Amino acid sequence: MDSLPDAIIQYILSDLSNARDVAACNCVSKRWRESLTYLRSLYFPRNSFDSRPGSYSSDTVVWKMLSATACLEELVVYSPFTSAGLASWLSLVHSSLKDLELRMDNVMDYQACLDSPSKLDCIAAGKKLKSLKLWGVLMANPPKWDVFENLLCLEIVGARLEDPALSAALGACPNLTNLLLLGCEGVRSVSIELPYLEHCKLDFYGSGNCSLSLTCPKIELLEVQGCSWIRVRETTCLRNLSIANNAGRVYMVDFGKLSALESLSMRGVQWCWDAISKMLEWSNEVKHLYMKVEFTGDLEALLPFPEVDFVEFFNSHPKLQKFDVHGAMFAALCQKNSLKNVEPGFVIPCLEEVVVQVRSPLNAEQKMNTLESLLKYGKSLKKMVIRILQMKSSHSSTDEFFDEICRLRFMNRKIIRIE
């Protein structure tokens, strides 16, 4: 590389990011050391300072490396650091820094929240940030942030949050287009009003009784886990929606007309039937429907789904192309009178793929009738997957039911697959 022009060396070395690699190149020659000024990204892994010789603290080492850069755009720090260290780093690179990712490691450290300034408070210096990602955050008090006018993406993973602190943090990021909160606990009620938000993923850890209010007119993708009450009024742009509650119940959903919705996923142990029926009613333009809700019931009692009319269901979802149906919803479509309204000329026009999960041989005849009806009336059907899951085999009806499924598969081997 000695024969290469300085510009070429600078271009090659500017693609380095790992701090260990940068430190090694820094020792090669003065020419290489000077070329590292043009680094665009620096990444400090968790073990960056394990077995580190010398008397400098990790904060000081990071500061020295940052001080050698002229236009750093991305900084990722997974190694331990202090609030004072973070403040000193951002004072060096705040004018060019666009992407900041930090492993905070203070979820259980309430004393860290009392430090002044705290690590969260120090982030305020990055006024030109476009992306901020935080891991292991304790946000007990509202962070002392001004307004991040340029911030488009905020990700917080593995956090303990208080409602006022989260509200203040979101209020300081008015122009977000992407918001991700994963593995967050402590949240009881959250209201999000972001006029430019397009993608939002929320995963609230705990008892599953959180309430959510979302006012984001440009929202296109929304994934919610752990909420019992959900209100999203402006939904004209919403294309992908996923609602799950693995720890609690979904009591109430309040959406506007889901005219643009293409994909809907409903998961959880128990949903109120009113919430299920409303979601199915609002999403009549959906193309992909995934349903894995085990029970209904408004109170503690776990109840089966009421009967669902086969014809009415598919007539209400004429654009449905892929249908993943598990447990209780499949059973609801297989009741005694579910097929009574099938008339000559009835078709399921767009259905191309069906995934069915079968767990019990009960009502075997009705279940076979429903599977056969999907094949008969699904004129565009190309694939059917029948998943046999944890079916008890202590009764002869189980073997007979499985034989019937195998017969159906043999008759339609190009379409049906058994798992």
Side-chain angles (χ1 to χ4, degrees):
M1 289 181 64
D2 290 341
S3 61
L4 293 176
D6 289 345
I8 299 298
I9 293 179
Q10 292 168 6
Y11 178 79
I12 294 173
L13 296 182
S14 67
D15 284 335
L16 291 175
S17 60
N18 190 293
R20 289 181 179 271
D21 296 336
V22 172
C25 291
N26 198 46
C27 300
V28 172
S29 67
K30 179 181 178 182
R31 189 179 181 213
W32 279 38
R33 182 167 60 251
E34 292 174 349
S35 297
L36 293 173
T37 301
Y38 300 95
L39 284 174
R40 294 187 296 268
S41 174
L42 262 179
Y43 164 54
F44 294 85
R46 183 69 174 167
N47 62 348
S48 294
F49 302 102
D50 291 355
S51 304
R52 174 182 54 82
S55 57
Y56 291 120
S57 67
S58 57
D59 285 350
T60 302
V61 174
V62 175
W63 184 90
K64 284 181 173 292
M65 295 187 72
L66 293 177
S67 64
T69 65
C71 51
L72 193 74
E73 296 181 358
E74 181 183 31
L75 175 62
V76 180
V77 182
Y78 287 170
S79 57
F81 63 91
T82 66
S83 57
L86 179 59
S88 66
W89 307 340
L90 293 180
S91 67
L92 289 173
V93 298
H94 67 90
S95 60
S96 61
L97 194 65
K98 296 178 180 178
D99 304 308
L100 177 63
E101 183 172 351
L102 301 172
R103 180 165 175 166
M104 307 289 278
D105 278 348
N106 66 342
V107 170
M108 304 302 295
D109 188 3
Y110 281 92
Q111 181 60 40
C113 289
L114 303 178
D115 294 342
S116 184
S118 66
K119 291 181 181 179
L120 279 174
D121 295 340
C122 294
I123 295 173
K127 295 184 181 298
K128 294 186 178 181
L129 287 175
K130 290 186 176 181
S131 174
L132 174 61
K133 301 178 182 180
L134 305 174
W135 299 72
V137 185
L138 174 62
M139 195 180 291
N141 300 315
K144 297 176 182 178
W145 293 349
D146 294 325
V147 177
F148 292 103
E149 294 286 356
N150 299 320
L151 194 66
L152 302 178
C153 177
L154 175 63
E155 297 185 9
I156 300 177
V157 181
R160 187 184 297 271
L161 309 173
E162 295 291 338
D163 294 350
L166 177 59
S167 178
L170 295 178
C173 312
N175 299 317
L176 285 179
T177 59
N178 292 271
L179 173 63
L180 184 144
L181 305 175
L182 292 184
C184 297
E185 58 179 316
V187 177
R188 294 175 293 276
S189 177
V190 57
S191 178
I192 300 175
E193 298 183 17
L194 295 168
Y196 304 106
L197 192 67
E198 297 176 358
H199 300 130
C200 182
K201 297 183 180 182
L202 308 174
D203 177 16
F204 298 122
Y205 177 78
S207 58
N209 60 354
C210 178
S211 66
L212 169 68
S213 175
L214 195 79
T215 305
C216 305
K218 294 188 176 182
I219 192 74
E220 295 180 4
L221 180 147
L222 175 61
E223 296 181 8
V224 182
Q225 149 63 27
C227 289
S228 292
W229 296 270
I230 303 170
R231 173 173 281 111
V232 184
R233 297 303 301 161
E234 299 185 57
T235 57
T236 55
C237 298
L238 188 59
R239 297 183 181 277
N240 297 280
L241 173 61
S242 174
I243 302 175
N245 196 332
N246 299 324
R249 302 174 182 84
V250 176
Y251 287 109
M252 187 276 291
V253 290
D254 184 8
F255 285 79
K257 177 67 174 176
L258 299 170
S259 56
L261 195 68
E262 297 180 355
S263 176
L264 171 63
S265 173
M266 302 164 63
R267 293 172 289 128
V269 176
Q270 183 181 11
W271 283 47
C272 292
W273 181 249
D274 182 64
I276 294 174
S277 59
K278 283 183 177 179
M279 289 305 305
L280 293 175
E281 177 185 349
W282 293 328
S283 61
N284 58 351
E285 301 291 318
V286 74
K287 295 179 180 178
H288 180 192
L289 178 59
Y290 181 98
M291 290 194 66
K292 191 177 181 181
V293 179
E294 298 301 328
F295 300 98
T296 184
D298 295 337
L299 300 173
E300 297 293 331
L302 300 176
L303 303 177
F305 282 22
E307 184 175 275
V308 175
D309 186 274
F310 185 89
V311 174
E312 181 181 346
F313 175 81
F314 284 103
N315 281 342
S316 299
H317 301 86
K319 297 182 181 181
L320 190 62
Q321 296 177 359
K322 183 176 180 180
F323 187 25
D324 287 75
V325 56
H326 301 251
M329 184 61 186
F330 180 62
L333 287 166
C334 300
Q335 297 301 308
K336 182 178 180 180
N337 296 317
S338 293
L339 295 169
K340 69 178 182 179
N341 292 322
V342 175
E343 297 179 352
F346 168 71
V347 295
I348 307 172
C350 298
L351 190 64
E352 297 180 357
E353 182 176 349
V354 176
V355 180
V356 178
Q357 182 174 294
V358 182
R359 301 179 62 176
S360 169
L362 296 176
N363 297 325
E365 182 178 353
Q366 285 84 4
K367 289 178 180 177
M368 290 306 304
N369 288 339
T370 300
L371 292 174
E372 290 170 354
S373 297
L374 288 168
L375 290 165
K376 180 178 179 180
Y377 301 111
K379 299 302 182 181
S380 302
L381 193 63
K382 300 175 182 177
K383 180 179 179 182
M384 176 185 286
V385 179
I386 303 175
R387 292 176 177 162
I388 311 297
L389 180 65
Q390 298 177 342
M391 187 181 293
K392 297 179 180 179
S393 58
S394 58
H395 197 274
S396 60
S397 62
T398 302
D399 294 334
E400 295 172 1
F401 181 40
F402 190 73
D403 287 342
E404 287 296 309
I405 292 177
C406 290
R407 179 191 61 80
L408 187 67
R409 190 260 177 194
F410 179 78
M411 298 297 291
N412 302 272
R413 61 172 66 90
K414 292 183 179 181
I415 297 177
I416 296 179
R417 186 175 80 245
I418 299 175
E419 295 181 355

